[in-house]
Amino acid sequence: MDIEVKYQKDRKLYYARISDGSRYGRKVYGATPDKVKEKLQSYWSLPTKQNKDLMTVADFTKGYLLHMEKRTLGKIDGEKRIRIQSFETYELHYKNIWNFDDEEFAKGIGRRIHINGKKIIDYNVTQVNDAFLKELVNQIEVNFNTHSAKYKHSIFASFKSGLLWLHKQDRDQYPLLDVRGFSIPLVKKEAFVPKRLDAQLVLRTVDQVCKEKYAIYVHLCANGLRASEANGLKPSDFDWTNNTVHIQRTVDRSRNVIAIETGYECGTKTLSSNRKVPLGSELATRIRKFLMVNKLDWLFQSEQKYDGKPIIQHNLAKFGLHKALKHLESKGQRVEWKGAMHGLRHYYGSLLLAEAAKLGRNPTWVQKRLGHSNLQTTLGIYSHDIDEDNQELNNEVERRLNG
């Protein structure tokens, strides 16, 4: 690889610049020139007739992860930019199959799976067939027997998506017919929906023991917002004339803002998730008062060291919902609760379906409120769209939420 290695004084590191489709290319750093060259040699090269019989699982794995890392920076080959958190998930799943880092592996991070006694990374890609994939599923089951079915399914799905990406690079050399036709079913667990009295008790307790900021966050989640959607709200997203809030961006667990203004095609989970959510008049008034007292860039931002981003989601849940649950437990009032904020969204959805049925509303209207991309997610039945919103219904749902 004939690439010049240079020294960067400000970072006290050597580097080489390689083309990655961006305007200036990408810098690869190392403590010594040899370290830089070692990193460059480990990079993946596009399929050719010469390397077809030499392409191993290790080779395509490194190439696919490099491709996914590039996609965190922008759109590549017509594929949309992905979130850093999505790349980290792919990286973790591949470490679950084979962690190349000896130090991490020694600390118990990741796995090193073998297929029929042979390292999975040593298999040639052309050897990946139906029998290989079935044994991989078995090995994932054995190595992650304490994890959920969804987690194990995700590990396999990430591996398969990498193989399909390789197929896309050169369909003739890597037809991968067995991979394209292979799938494993995933039986979805029934979503947790808190009992009505439990949910009402939790929401009342939140108002009693939590600061207003954290209480508002909980109530927004109890009005159908995903935790990441609520965390990404700005004062300008609220329409006080109609008592609605526009969901148009999200914030991940690492406080990265996912929005059109930060270079993403869509700031929400799906295009359908970009929506206006009506609020009950009581909650709308409460949020408006909070914003009048606090002049903020974000609805949820740090009170001390503000760095231009909203608060981390973990703290919003910690000082809101979880604080209320701990308070109830200390008083001997145990409630059945699973997970964190999402149960409140499920509770809202169940209330909305019940109230909509009473008023003759259509299930797709509920789908629209929740921001689901398809009706099957909401209910699993067909119906036609309804565009109307009803403040009386909003207030009724709010009354039911709070008891």
Side-chain angles (χ1 to χ4, degrees):
M1 188 176 292
D2 187 21
I3 296 180
E4 183 182 1
V5 178
K6 300 179 180 179
Y7 184 71
Q8 186 165 322
K9 293 181 180 179
D10 59 334
R11 295 189 64 174
K12 297 182 179 179
L13 289 170
Y14 293 89
Y15 74 93
R17 192 187 299 275
I18 60 173
S19 174
D20 65 352
S22 63
R23 182 177 180 181
Y24 298 107
R26 176 184 178 186
K27 287 184 177 180
V28 178
Y29 291 95
T32 66
D34 288 339
K35 282 290 183 181
V36 175
K37 291 176 181 178
E38 184 181 327
K39 284 186 178 181
L40 292 172
Q41 291 297 335
S42 69
Y43 277 3
W44 188 74
S45 57
L46 286 167
T48 66
K49 291 182 179 179
Q50 288 72 33
N51 70 13
K52 175 183 176 181
D53 294 330
L54 300 175
M55 179 73 73
T56 64
V57 169
D59 294 328
F60 104 78
T61 294
K62 293 176 181 178
Y64 183 57
L65 288 178
L66 179 61
H67 168 73
M68 296 302 284
E69 186 178 15
K70 289 179 182 177
R71 284 182 60 192
T72 64
L73 304 175
K75 189 175 181 179
I76 295 179
D77 298 332
E79 297 178 294
K80 68 178 183 179
R81 180 183 179 185
I82 63 168
R83 307 176 184 193
I84 295 174
Q85 194 170 315
S86 298
F87 165 70
E88 290 172 346
T89 299
Y90 274 99
E91 191 175 38
L92 173 62
H93 286 166
Y94 275 88
K95 285 181 180 179
N96 285 334
I97 292 171
W98 195 274
N99 189 347
F100 290 95
D101 191 310
D102 291 333
E103 291 184 8
E104 282 190 345
F105 182 70
K107 294 176 183 177
I109 300 173
R111 300 285 197 281
R112 289 183 172 175
I113 287 178
H114 292 68
I115 303 295
N116 298 321
K118 181 179 177 181
K119 296 177 181 179
I120 187 174
I121 57 171
D122 288 343
Y123 273 86
N124 189 286
V125 171
T126 57
Q127 295 176 293
V128 177
N129 54 23
D130 187 75
F132 175 98
L133 295 171
K134 287 179 179 176
E135 181 57 23
L136 174 58
V137 172
N138 290 336
Q139 289 300 320
I140 291 174
E141 185 67 40
V142 169
N143 281 270
F144 298 91
N145 61 324
T146 60
H147 291 67
S148 68
K150 183 178 179 181
Y151 187 82
K152 289 178 282 191
H153 184 275
S154 297
I155 296 173
F156 178 81
S158 294
F159 184 77
K160 180 180 176 180
S161 68
L163 287 167
L164 293 178
W165 168 77
L166 179 64
H167 164 72
K168 186 178 178 181
Q169 304 305 303
D170 195 318
R171 290 176 170 82
D172 293 333
Q173 288 193 75
Y174 301 100
L176 296 172
L177 295 176
D178 286 340
V179 176
R180 289 158 57 193
F182 191 93
S183 63
I184 53 176
L186 174 63
V187 179
K188 290 189 175 182
K189 292 172 65 177
E190 186 176 345
F192 167 71
V193 181
K195 296 175 183 177
R196 180 173 62 88
L197 293 178
D198 282 350
Q200 291 176 353
L201 176 59
V202 167
L203 290 171
R204 287 198 301 270
T205 306
V206 163
D207 289 337
Q208 293 167 8
V209 302
C210 301
K211 288 184 177 181
E212 183 69 350
K213 173 169 58 181
Y214 302 108
I216 286 174
Y217 177 74
V218 174
H219 281 282
L220 281 168
C221 292
N223 275 263
L225 275 65
R226 298 178 178 91
S228 59
E229 294 173 344
N231 199 18
L233 292 178
K234 292 185 174 182
S236 58
D237 295 327
F238 292 89
D239 177 354
W240 304 118
T241 302
N242 299 304
N243 283 350
T244 61
V245 58
H246 187 188
I247 310 302
Q248 54 187 319
R249 75 186 71 79
T250 55
V251 177
D252 69 18
R253 291 191 296 270
S254 299
R255 301 175 69 224
N256 296 305
V257 178
I258 315 300
I260 292 176
E261 57 263 33
T262 56
Y264 291 87
E265 293 181 350
C266 178
T268 51
K269 185 176 181 180
T270 64
L271 289 174
S272 303
S273 299
N274 188 315
R275 65 200 189 279
K276 290 186 177 181
V277 176
L279 303 172
S281 57
E282 183 179 326
L283 179 58
T285 301
R286 188 172 176 178
I287 295 172
R288 191 175 184 182
K289 287 181 178 179
F290 175 77
L291 290 173
M292 289 174 67
V293 174
N294 303 277
K295 304 302 180 183
L296 306 167
D297 295 328
W298 299 88
L299 179 57
F300 304 109
Q301 71 184 44
S302 173
E303 296 172 359
Q304 286 86 30
K305 297 179 180 179
Y306 174 54
D307 60 357
K309 294 183 180 181
I311 301 174
I312 193 167
Q313 280 181 40
H314 172 77
N315 287 343
L316 287 170
K318 177 181 177 180
F319 297 111
L321 175 67
H322 291 307
K323 183 175 182 179
L325 290 172
K326 285 184 179 180
H327 178 80
L328 288 170
E329 185 176 356
S330 69
K331 298 294 183 181
Q333 295 177 282
R334 296 187 63 85
V335 297
E336 183 183 351
W337 205 275
K338 295 180 182 178
M341 311 304 301
H342 215 63
L344 290 169
R345 174 174 157 84
H346 290 159
Y347 177 59
Y348 172 83
S350 67
L351 286 183
L352 205 60
L353 284 168
E355 293 301 321
K358 289 179 183 178
L359 297 176
R361 290 299 183 106
N362 210 283
T364 50
W365 177 83
V366 178
Q367 173 197 344
K368 183 179 176 181
R369 283 284 190 95
L370 294 172
H372 288 153
S373 57
N374 60 72
L375 184 57
Q376 188 175 14
T377 305
T378 310
L379 192 59
I381 62 173
Y382 170 81
S383 203
H384 61 275
D385 289 331
I386 292 181
D387 296 324
E388 295 177 324
D389 285 318
N390 188 306
Q391 186 62 43
E392 183 180 347
L393 176 59
N394 302 335
N395 293 336
E396 175 60 19
V397 171
E398 181 176 66
R399 187 188 65 78
R400 291 282 302 278
L401 277 167
N402 300 316

